[in-house]
Amino acid sequence: MINVSKIKKGIVLDHISSGAGFEIYKALNLNEIEDTVVLMQNISSSSMGKKDLIKIETDFQIDFTVLGLIAPNITVNYIEDGKRIKKFKNELPDLVDGILHCHNPRCISNTERHLAGHKFYLYNKERKEYRCEYCDTVCTYGLK
Ligand SMILES: [Zn+2]
């Protein structure tokens, strides 16, 4: 059992699939936070076998679009005064603005660099595929 109440104020990202914790850590730039950040890997979990968990002990604006792309289905807990005040399951975003790059080299988004804002719409939820707003090419956010 992980005692989330040990942290006074902050965010706990729970039910991260084992090994994805570090990807999230890097993608959210958690290394830039000056307060305590704890990444726990391979914790035994009754529902998942093994899981990762991240505790962020500060007010931090999580980029839920990035988080949703890397790890849909994780649990996000907000802690205030040592108590959980909010809990929700993260989801794959319906719309992604920026972040993704179109895989089509002839796409206007790749040839016209001055284009501001480039949107992708969720195309296939199972496969985490997004459709480019300009050329309809289906793109995915690749985990390295
Ligand atoms: Zn495109």
Side-chain angles (χ1 to χ4, degrees), residues 73-124:
N73 305 323
I74 70 166
T75 309
V76 181
N77 301 281
Y78 277 88
I79 315 294
E80 195 95 52
D81 293 324
K83 294 194 192 79
R84 183 163 68 198
I85 53 158
K86 198 163 81 173
K87 174 186 176 176
F88 61 91
K89 256 205 181 320
N90 197 34
E91 282 187 354
L92 209 58
D94 291 327
L95 170 72
V96 175
D97 198 343
I99 304 168
L100 293 169
H101 296 281
C102 186
H103 296 183
N104 173 8
R106 289 188 304 275
C107 176
I108 190 168
S109 70
N110 288 321
T111 53
E112 305 281 320
R113 300 239 168 244
H114 63 272
L115 277 179
H118 181 192
K119 296 185 181 64
F120 290 85
Y121 300 96
L122 186 59
Y123 176 74
N124 184 312

Side-chain angles (χ1 to χ4, degrees), residues 12-144:
V12 177
L13 306 177
D14 199 359
H15 302 116
I16 301 168
S17 50
S18 184
F22 189 57
E23 289 296 332
I24 293 173
Y25 187 93
K26 285 187 294 184
L28 296 180
N29 299 317
L30 298 184
N31 57 307
E32 289 173 8
I33 296 177
E34 289 178 2
D35 295 287
T36 308
V37 178
V38 182
L39 165 62
M40 297 173 85
Q41 293 182 294
N42 304 321
I43 308 163
S44 55
S45 155
S46 50
S47 58
M48 300 172 68
K50 276 181 180 177
K51 68 175 183 181
D52 290 359
L53 183 140
I54 297 174
K55 294 185 193 186
I56 304 163
E57 292 192 43
T58 182
D59 284 323
F60 178 69
Q61 295 295 320
I62 287 186
D63 188 333
F64 283 107
T65 306
V66 170
L67 187 60
L69 284 169
I70 306 169
N73 305 323
I74 70 166
T75 309
V76 181
N77 301 281
Y78 277 88
I79 315 294
E80 195 95 52
D81 293 324
K83 294 194 192 79
R84 183 163 68 198
I85 53 158
K86 198 163 81 173
K87 174 186 176 176
F88 61 91
K89 256 205 181 320
N90 197 34
E91 282 187 354
L92 209 58
D94 291 327
L95 170 72
V96 175
D97 198 343
I99 304 168
L100 293 169
H101 296 281
C102 186
H103 296 183
N104 173 8
R106 289 188 304 275
C107 176
I108 190 168
S109 70
N110 288 321
T111 53
E112 305 281 320
R113 300 239 168 244
H114 63 272
L115 277 179
H118 181 192
K119 296 185 181 64
F120 290 85
Y121 300 96
L122 186 59
Y123 176 74
N124 184 312
K125 207 170 181 170
E126 300 291 299
R127 295 205 296 261
K128 293 196 199 179
E129 289 173 340
Y130 284 83
R131 188 173 52 75
C132 172
E133 68 169 324
Y134 296 117
C135 69
D136 286 338
T137 296
V138 174
C139 306
T140 49
Y141 179 84
L143 260 182
K144 271 162 265 147

